[in-house]
Amino acid sequence: MKLKIGIFGGSGYGGSELLRILLQHPNAEIVLVTANEQAGKPVGEVHRNLYGLTDLKFTTAPEDLGALENLDCIFLSLPHGQAMEIVPRLPETVKVIDLSGDFRLREKEIFEEHYGREHTAMDAQGEFVYGLTETNREAIKDARLIANPGCFATATLLGLAPLVAANLIDGRVIVDAKTGSSGSGNKPAANTHHPQRSNSFYAYKPFTHQHVPEIEQELRSVGDWTSELVFMTHSLPVSRGIFASIYAALKRALSEGDVRSLFADFYGDSFFVRLVKGSPDINWVKTTNFCDLGFAARGKQLVVFSAIDNLVKGAAGQAVQNMNLMFGLDEKTGLMLLGSNP
């Protein structure tokens, strides 16, 4: 039996990646994919990379969400603010994975400060499990509702979690993170359209990025996180990928080998975390569900380098990884996605 899947918001980059992955998933059958602006159009005409691979057509979102009880799992790949309107109206028999930021933060005031909108479904928020697979695997297995992590949060948390769990950090942590243009979605805006940023480089949202409270919230669930976090994001002139350099002062001197052993123990059961020598490269992880981590150490000073594809491990791939766990499947199912060279 295949899981019957619905995707809300299938016309954007996140929805496109969900379709690319789930169309090849041996245990999944997509029976509903919505995109109000593209309703009636074949998926393969909107996403030309999928041309000839599916007969699916986009539809409008159904008015009676309660009638979706025939579905096993729904992915919400919608702009911030829309999932909170939908989730309370869905059948309680359906499992839901939200790729937006609507249910990541547990405190209403913090959400409203960082997302600039009222949260109208905090009762539902209390049922959501944070979906960073590598640090929350057991809770995800038993969850019905998953808040998929943000892309920057994924890259940063995977680079910091072993250090926080081992109580090794002493003082301030600085994260210098860079992302490709696809992280801004498929609708061009003045400062995010790729022609504008393809030969440019700049910082944005200094000290105010919405992933900061998400990162700190989850680090507190991993260990005794009391450090100051300085988090800076930058526009990278590529289409896909996130690269984060994470600078930390340690309580004791560690060699690169010591750090590698610590991370290898922490991620021993995590197929999609790869430890590389020196610096990772976003080219090695593009179109895959891998997070590559590298290290540089000097006494008590440590840099962790983290690289992911923002649309896969940072969004759709991680969502499918969580779906696999929620339904008792091997978490690698449908996610053995190979990168390219070059």
Side-chain angles (χ1 to χ4, degrees):
M1 296 292 291
K2 291 192 174 185
L3 302 172
K4 295 189 181 301
I5 304 298
I7 299 172
F8 279 61
S11 62
Y13 290 141
S16 173
E17 289 295 274
L18 283 171
L19 286 160
R20 179 175 73 93
I21 295 168
L22 289 169
L23 284 172
Q24 303 178 85
H25 195 293
N27 301 101
E29 178 188 2
I30 304 171
V31 298
L32 171 71
V33 54
T34 77
N36 292 346
E37 294 181 7
Q38 306 291 352
K41 295 181 181 178
V43 163
E45 289 188 9
V46 176
H47 300 306
R48 299 296 291 184
N49 60 312
L50 303 179
Y51 184 76
L53 301 178
T54 177
D55 294 326
L56 283 167
K57 290 185 177 182
F58 289 112
T59 69
T60 57
E63 292 185 10
D64 182 9
L65 298 179
L68 297 177
E69 56 190 10
N70 62 312
L71 298 181
D72 295 300
C73 186
I74 292 175
F75 293 86
L76 301 177
S77 184
L78 298 164
H80 302 310
Q82 294 188 20
M84 71 177 77
E85 302 298 326
I86 292 173
V87 168
R89 299 162 53 205
L90 292 172
E92 293 186 0
T93 56
V94 179
K95 296 185 179 183
V96 180
I97 301 172
D98 176 29
L99 280 74
S100 79
D102 283 12
F103 295 101
R104 294 172 189 159
L105 298 175
R106 301 186 189 101
E107 296 185 27
K108 186 176 189 290
E109 296 77 12
I110 293 178
F111 172 87
E112 293 175 352
E113 175 187 351
H114 285 84
Y115 284 88
R117 68 181 75 241
E118 181 185 4
H119 201 297
T120 59
M122 286 306 293
D123 289 344
Q125 199 286 331
E127 300 179 49
F128 272 80
V129 170
Y130 189 73
L132 185 63
T133 319
E134 285 72 18
T135 62
N136 217 14
R137 187 173 280 110
E138 294 307 311
I140 291 167
K141 289 179 181 179
D142 296 327
R144 185 179 77 85
L145 305 175
I146 293 290
N148 219 54
C151 51
F152 277 124
T154 296
T156 303
L157 288 166
L158 290 175
L160 279 174
L163 301 173
V164 174
N167 196 25
L168 281 170
I169 294 177
D170 183 22
R172 177 184 299 155
V173 171
I174 298 173
V175 179
D176 179 351
K178 304 169 179 67
T179 188
S181 57
S182 60
S184 299
N186 65 351
K187 292 186 177 181
N191 65 327
T192 62
H193 193 31
H194 193 75
Q196 174 67 29
R197 55 193 283 178
S198 62
N199 293 299
S200 181
F201 191 85
Y202 54 87
Y204 67 99
K205 293 185 179 179
F207 295 113
T208 62
H209 199 283
Q210 67 271 18
H211 290 182
V212 172
E214 176 185 344
I215 292 167
E216 295 198 296
Q217 171 184 279
E218 295 312 310
L219 287 176
R220 287 192 290 269
S221 73
V222 170
D224 184 21
W225 170 257
T226 57
S227 299
E228 178 187 4
L229 177 66
V230 178
F231 186 81
M232 291 292 158
T233 52
H234 304 79
S235 165
L236 194 63
V238 300
S239 294
R240 302 173 77 120
I242 284 178
F243 191 99
S245 298
I246 303 167
Y247 303 87
L250 305 180
K251 292 181 178 179
R252 64 177 189 272
L254 293 178
S255 67
E256 182 181 330
D258 295 332
V259 176
R260 184 174 299 275
S261 295
L262 173 73
F263 276 67
D265 288 343
F266 191 89
Y267 291 123
D269 297 325
S270 298
F271 176 80
F272 291 112
V273 175
R274 303 189 298 193
L275 307 183
V276 304
K277 292 184 178 180
S279 172
D281 188 316
I282 56 174
N283 279 329
W284 304 341
V285 296
K286 281 193 297 188
T287 73
T288 81
N289 198 51
F290 288 109
C291 173
D292 283 1
L293 299 174
F295 316 97
R298 183 178 65 182
K300 294 183 179 181
Q301 296 178 333
L302 174 68
V303 186
V304 181
F305 305 109
S306 178
I308 65 170
D309 185 312
N310 55 297
L311 296 177
V312 188
K313 185 57 177 169
Q318 185 151 250
V320 174
Q321 189 178 353
N322 287 328
M323 180 200 77
N324 288 338
L325 286 176
M326 295 164 77
F327 288 94
L329 303 172
D330 186 308
E331 66 186 70
K332 301 189 295 295
T333 306
L335 289 169
M336 300 298 287
L337 308 170
L338 306 182
S340 61
N341 184 26

